[in-house]
Each structure stands twice: as structure tokens, then as C-alpha cells.
Amino acid sequence: MTVAQVLLALELIGTFAFAVSGALLAAKKGFDIVGSLLLAGLAGLGGGVIRDLIVGQGVPTAFAAPLYLIPVAAAALAVFCHLIREDRLRRTLLVFDAVGLSLFCVMGSTIAYTAGLNPVAATLLGVITAVGGGALRDIVANEVPQIFNPDGVYAAPAFLGAAATTAALYWEVFDGFAAVAIALMVFIIRILALKLRWRVPLAVLGLPRKASGE
Amino acid sequence: MTVAQVLLALELIGTFAFAVSGALLAAKKGFDIVGSLLLAGLAGLGGGVIRDLIVGQGVPTAFAAPLYLIPVAAAALAVFCHLIREDRLRRTLLVFDAVGLSLFCVMGSTIAYTAGLNPVAATLLGVITAVGGGALRDIVANEVPQIFNPDGVYAAPAFLGAAATTAALYWEVFDGFAAVAIALMVFIIRILALKLRWRVPLAVLGLPRKASGE
Amino acid sequence: MTVAQVLLALELIGTFAFAVSGALLAAKKGFDIVGSLLLAGLAGLGGGVIRDLIVGQGVPTAFAAPLYLIPVAAAALAVFCHLIREDRLRRTLLVFDAVGLSLFCVMGSTIAYTAGLNPVAATLLGVITAVGGGALRDIVANEVPQIFNPDGVYAAPAFLGAAATTAALYWEVFDGFAAVAIALMVFIIRILALKLRWRVPLAVLGLPRKASGE
């Protein structure tokens, strides 16, 4: 497999993962199947579309290649047919979200850097690709986005992954193996952060953390 | 009248229709006249601006041609002066919304397909043009978007209209008459769906539908 | 100093001002420092990014020049370290917001007009640059945007500033001095409107204004 093939496979898996999080949120909110498809599409493809609009090289990939709609439809269908169950909703949603997060920060930085953006912008666009779809999903469903939940470490691992990807590209040591390794690192950090209840400092130093039922 | 003239007329009528829905929502939420203009503009022009950003052929039409601001200002003014009454708010809003929906799915697909996008993307962009303005209107006013209301059939007729338009363009049978006919079909389906309380299946098969006061 | 230098300095100050409003909102909502950076970035750079996407001349400035991230990081840090205090949150937030508003309407119109857009679009894009970041900040944090608060005059002074800037550019009398003067006028109007409780008419003529604790 070439790097391009590994990256495409990762992007489709990440799209499916985020799309599942969208379809599960639609189920939780009692939306219908059309709303489920829309929310799955926003979650799965929204981050990449924002990235492509900012990079500005023609029609966003999600629209140029109908292939990307397959994981979205598959995710909505899997939730519709109970293949991905609602009764373990919270945990399932978190794992799928973590898979998407780790794959998309790598993809986003790679695409932005390859398009000629500076390393700082490439890192930022990796983070935007990773958290943008989930943020759009939550904003459109009228929820406070998960990125802002202070009882979790969400954007920080995406930032690490995006920075590592950009560094690897800058020093020309990026390949399919590096992509998978960085994504795995981001996934492990995200899951460890959930299990071990890691916390990022609050927006104001020394302020007490509100009690919250994560 | 040429096809271009019919399409322009339809687009201005659709813009007015959606803009009215924005100004009425502003009235309902107690916003001032500036907020009414902003919400009317977002509802009337937002879907088209998203479409134009994705199609990526220069400055979005809504900004390139000041003509499009006239229906927006007219809508805010009509609501301001009680020409469109607030006391029959819900029904009026639904009818105006249906007019915009049916015109914009046809316009969106036509513009995207003519710009060279593939038929799948052209269909999607028809749906986005049709539901995007209304979604932005509701998101910005901090409401759950009407597209996600499971007690209605909203995005589905827009999808039918967008697919029919793309098919007509693909088989080269699209003209001003076809445009009006498809828009009328979408409008009738949307209104019938409201009257006869049609429902789309929920996001999860077999889940009970929550009671709701449509 | 050249006009370009004055404009760059104003844009960085405006970015800092809006970014502070984002970081303070993050503090108020109990978000962590990463959420504070994201909200500061959205508030400080979001309006300009929307403007640049619509103007459509390459990668938005905020991504092309990493310099713009410095005021964002500085704002989040200043709030984190109590340099900008939370206990006078409301007033501080309003003043910083007014500074950003007055600088960004001037900047937005200048950039749009210089890029070749028509005067109407340049005026609109000035308003969008000025209110867009704040709107994104509030939407993403799941609040009703401050622009829609009928107990204040917010978008109207930005519109005046944008129109004055576009007129000055059209009649070729725009320079660094004019930029500062227009921004100062907008700031004074906004602050006077707050102090003297000026009001814009509501969306519907003659409707009673709801009691509200501004």
C-alpha cells in the first residue's frame, strides 16, 4: 500500500467514526433518519470541508469525491438497524469520537502542509479538521460542543497529533507508518485521559472546578 | 422570458420567502430591527452563500450583486410594518419556509451542476442551499433547527427536488418550465406532509416517537 | 507610520480585544484553558476568516500569517493569569467588545473594497468582520449572540463605521488618520449607546419591549 492509500483508508475510517457519533446524537435527540444522515454528514465531513475552504484549493474533497458519502450513509444505517447500539450510547460515542479525532488531526495537517501552508497553519488546520466536525455536530444540534467540556482532554491530544504530523512532514520523515503511529498515540492519550480522568487547567488560574457528572 | 430570467425571479422570490421566515423569528424572539435584518439576510442568503463558498467560483452571488439585498430589506420591512402579521406567525412562517425550500433546492442544484460539479455533489448542494439558510437562521437564534424536527418532512422533499433537477440537467431536459414544475412538486409535497402529518422513520428503527405538540 | 502599518496595528489590537471577550466568556462558562484559546481564537479571528472566505483571495490572513495568533494567546494568558479580572467581567467584556467592533468594521470594509468588491458588499463585509467573530463566539458557546440583544445598539454603529470607511475609500480620502477617526466614532457611539441606554426599534413596529436586566 502506498502512503496515499493508507491516508485514504484512514480518512474513510475517521469519517465513519465521526459519522457514527453524529447518527448516535441524532438518535439520542429523537431526530428522524434524514436528520441522522445530515448530522452524520456534518460530523464526518464538516471538519474536512472547513479545512478545504480555508486551504482554498477548489471544491472540498467531500463534494468532489462521492466516495466520502459511503461511510456517512453506512454510519446512519448502522445506527438505524441497531448494529451500533444506543443502550451503551455514551461509551460507544466516546470511542468513535476518539478514533475520528486521532485520524483527522493527522489527515488535516498532512493536507494543509502538502497544499503549501506554513507549519503553524498546518498544525492549526489539523486541530480544526479533528474538532470541527464534532463542533458543527454539537452546534447544529444545539448542544455545548464536547471540546468545551472541562471534564475531559479533547483538543489537546489533537493538537499534539497535528504538531507531530507537521514536524514529521517538515523534517521529511512522514510516511504511512508515521501516520498510523501518530494517530495511535493521539487515540491512546485521549482514552487514557478519559480513563484516568486527566484534566487541563481551567481558563482562569486557581478557580475551583465545578462538580460535574462526567 | 429566458431560463436565466425565470431562475433569477425564482431566486429573488425564494430569498424573500426565507427572509420573511428570518424576520418573523426575530419578531418572535423580541430582537430589534437590526437583528431582524441580519436574521432575514442569513435565512434568505445563507444557504446560497454556503453553496457558493463550496462551489468556489469567486465572490458569492449575494455579495457580488446588491440586487439580492432588496428582498431581504423588503421582508424585514414587511414584518416591521405588520404587512406580514405576527398573530398568524406559525402558519405564515411554515408557508414562506416551504416556498423558499422548493425554489432553493432547484436553484442550488442548477448552479452547482452548471459550475461543473458531479451529479451527487450537485444534488447535495441543492439540499444545502435549500436547508442551509433556515439552519443558519435557527442556529444563530439559538434554536434547534427546523430540519431536525421529527414531526415534519422537511429535508426529504428538498432532496427529491434537488435530485429531479440534477437528473433533468444531466439528461438535458431542464428549462424554466421544468424549474417551476419541480419547485411546485416540492412545495406540494412539503405542504401535504404538514397537512397529512406525514413522518419520516426515526434515526433508530422501532424506537417510539416522542409525543410532541407540532 | 504608513497606512498599512496603522491598519496592521489596529487589526492586532482589535484581535486582542475580541480574543479577550472570548477568553472571558470561556472563564464565565467554566471551560478549560484549551477551550479558552479556541474561543479567544474564534472571537478574535472568526470575523476576518469569514470575510476572507467570502472575498476569496487565497488562504485567510489569520492562517497565512502566524503573527495573528500572538494576540489570541496573549488574551487567553491575560485572563488565565488574572491580569484581566473576572470580577468585573460584564463591564470589561463590553469595553473590549466595543474596541474590537470599532476597529474591525473599518478593517473589514477596507480589505473588501481593496479586493475589488462593490461598495455595498464592502460595507456588508465590514459589518460581518465586526460582528462575525462575536457571533461565532456566542454560537459556539451555545448562547444567543450579543448582536441580537435588543437592549443595546451593536450592529448599527458597526454599519455606520463600515459605510463611512467605504465612502472614504470610494472618494479616495481614506488614510491612517481617517481609519482611526472612524473607529473612534464607532467606539464612542457604542459606549454612549450603552451609557445612555439608546435603543433601536424592535423587529415589529409598536410591539412592547420585554423587560430585561441589561
Side-chain angles (χ1 to χ4, degrees):
Chain A
M1 275 176 105
T2 67
V3 176
Q5 283 172 320
V6 172
L7 292 180
L8 179 63
L10 291 182
E11 199 163 18
L12 293 173
I13 295 170
T15 302
F16 177 76
F18 270 132
V20 166
S21 79
L24 285 174
L25 182 62
K28 188 178 145 199
K29 304 222 26 149
F31 295 164
D32 62 29
I33 182 70
V34 176
S36 178
L37 277 165
L38 289 174
L39 217 51
L42 262 178
L45 304 170
V49 170
I50 297 177
R51 176 199 64 216
D52 290 349
L53 289 179
I54 289 171
V55 169
Q57 298 201 329
V59 176
T61 326
F63 290 90
L67 177 65
Y68 287 90
L69 300 175
I70 295 172
V72 169
L77 198 69
V79 169
F80 184 71
C81 300
H82 298 258
L83 293 178
I84 295 171
R85 296 285 296 275
E86 223 207 341
D87 51 1
R88 292 181 358 190
L89 185 67
R90 230 191 106 271
R91 182 173 299 228
T92 313
L93 223 159
L94 285 172
V95 171
F96 272 95
D97 206 272
V99 172
L101 186 80
S102 47
L103 294 173
F104 274 29
C105 62
V106 175
M107 288 310 306
S109 291
T110 306
I111 289 168
Y113 190 86
T114 312
L117 271 75
N118 63 67
V120 175
T123 303
L124 270 184
L125 283 164
V127 178
I128 288 170
T129 310
V131 308
L136 282 180
R137 173 199 66 207
D138 296 341
I139 292 166
V140 164
N142 206 13
E143 308 253 307
V144 176
Q146 205 178 340
I147 6 165
F148 292 125
N149 185 347
D151 290 320
V153 172
Y154 192 80
F159 177 79
L160 282 182
T165 303
T166 305
L169 285 159
Y170 185 78
W171 285 306
E172 296 177 9
V173 296
F174 189 77
D175 56 15
F177 177 75
V180 173
I182 295 172
L184 200 63
M185 175 195 76
V186 175
F187 180 77
I188 290 171
I189 294 177
R190 169 73 181 141
I191 294 296
L192 278 180
L194 282 171
K195 287 270 181 203
L196 306 178
R197 298 178 168 271
W198 289 350
R199 295 291 179 268
V200 168
L202 287 187
V204 179
L205 192 66
L207 214 71
R209 203 173 274 271
K210 288 172 193 167
S212 152
E214 169 157 0
Chain B
M1 275 176 105
T2 66
V3 176
Q5 283 172 320
V6 172
L7 291 180
L8 179 64
L10 291 182
E11 199 163 18
L12 292 174
I13 295 169
T15 302
F16 177 76
F18 270 133
V20 166
S21 79
L24 286 174
L25 182 61
K28 188 177 145 202
K29 302 220 30 146
F31 296 163
D32 62 29
I33 182 69
V34 177
S36 178
L37 278 166
L38 289 173
L39 217 50
L42 262 178
L45 304 171
V49 170
I50 297 176
R51 175 201 64 215
D52 290 348
L53 289 179
I54 288 170
V55 170
Q57 298 200 330
V59 175
T61 326
F63 290 90
L67 176 65
Y68 286 91
L69 300 175
I70 294 171
V72 170
L77 199 69
V79 169
F80 183 71
C81 300
H82 299 257
L83 293 178
I84 294 171
R85 296 286 295 276
E86 222 207 343
D87 52 0
R88 292 181 359 191
L89 186 67
R90 228 191 108 272
R91 182 173 298 229
T92 313
L93 224 159
L94 285 172
V95 171
F96 272 95
D97 207 90
V99 172
L101 187 81
S102 47
L103 294 173
F104 274 29
C105 63
V106 175
M107 289 309 305
S109 291
T110 307
I111 289 169
Y113 190 85
T114 312
L117 271 76
N118 62 68
V120 175
T123 303
L124 270 183
L125 281 165
V127 178
I128 288 171
T129 309
V131 307
L136 282 179
R137 172 198 66 205
D138 296 340
I139 291 166
V140 163
N142 207 13
E143 309 252 306
V144 176
Q146 204 178 340
I147 6 166
F148 292 125
N149 186 348
D151 290 319
V153 172
Y154 191 80
F159 177 79
L160 283 182
T165 303
T166 305
L169 285 160
Y170 185 78
W171 284 305
E172 297 178 5
V173 296
F174 190 76
D175 55 14
F177 177 75
V180 173
I182 295 172
L184 200 63
M185 174 196 77
V186 175
F187 181 77
I188 290 171
I189 294 177
R190 169 71 182 142
I191 294 296
L192 278 181
L194 282 170
K195 287 268 180 205
L196 306 178
R197 298 180 170 270
W198 289 349
R199 297 290 179 268
V200 169
L202 287 186
V204 179
L205 192 68
L207 214 70
R209 204 173 274 269
K210 289 171 192 167
S212 150
E214 166 155 7
Chain C
M1 275 176 104
T2 67
V3 176
Q5 283 172 322
V6 171
L7 292 180
L8 179 63
L10 291 183
E11 198 164 18
L12 292 174
I13 295 169
T15 302
F16 177 76
F18 269 132
V20 165
S21 79
L24 286 174
L25 182 62
K28 187 177 144 201
K29 304 220 25 147
F31 295 165
D32 62 29
I33 182 70
V34 176
S36 178
L37 278 165
L38 289 173
L39 217 50
L42 262 178
L45 304 171
V49 169
I50 297 176
R51 177 200 62 215
D52 290 348
L53 288 178
I54 289 171
V55 170
Q57 298 202 329
V59 175
T61 325
F63 290 90
L67 177 65
Y68 287 90
L69 300 175
I70 294 172
V72 170
L77 199 69
V79 169
F80 184 70
C81 299
H82 298 257
L83 293 178
I84 296 170
R85 297 285 296 274
E86 224 208 342
D87 51 1
R88 294 180 357 191
L89 187 67
R90 230 191 107 271
R91 181 172 300 230
T92 313
L93 224 158
L94 285 172
V95 171
F96 271 95
D97 207 272
V99 172
L101 186 80
S102 48
L103 294 174
F104 274 29
C105 63
V106 176
M107 287 310 305
S109 290
T110 307
I111 290 169
Y113 190 85
T114 312
L117 271 74
N118 63 67
V120 176
T123 303
L124 269 184
L125 282 165
V127 178
I128 288 171
T129 310
V131 308
L136 282 180
R137 172 198 67 205
D138 297 340
I139 292 166
V140 163
N142 207 12
E143 309 253 307
V144 175
Q146 204 178 340
I147 6 166
F148 293 125
N149 186 348
D151 290 318
V153 173
Y154 192 79
F159 177 79
L160 283 183
T165 304
T166 305
L169 285 160
Y170 185 77
W171 285 305
E172 296 178 6
V173 296
F174 189 75
D175 55 15
F177 176 75
V180 173
I182 296 171
L184 200 62
M185 174 197 77
V186 176
F187 181 77
I188 290 171
I189 295 176
R190 169 71 181 141
I191 294 296
L192 278 181
L194 281 171
K195 288 267 180 205
L196 307 178
R197 297 178 169 272
W198 288 350
R199 296 289 179 270
V200 168
L202 286 187
V204 179
L205 192 68
L207 213 70
R209 204 173 273 270
K210 288 171 192 168
S212 150
E214 168 158 3

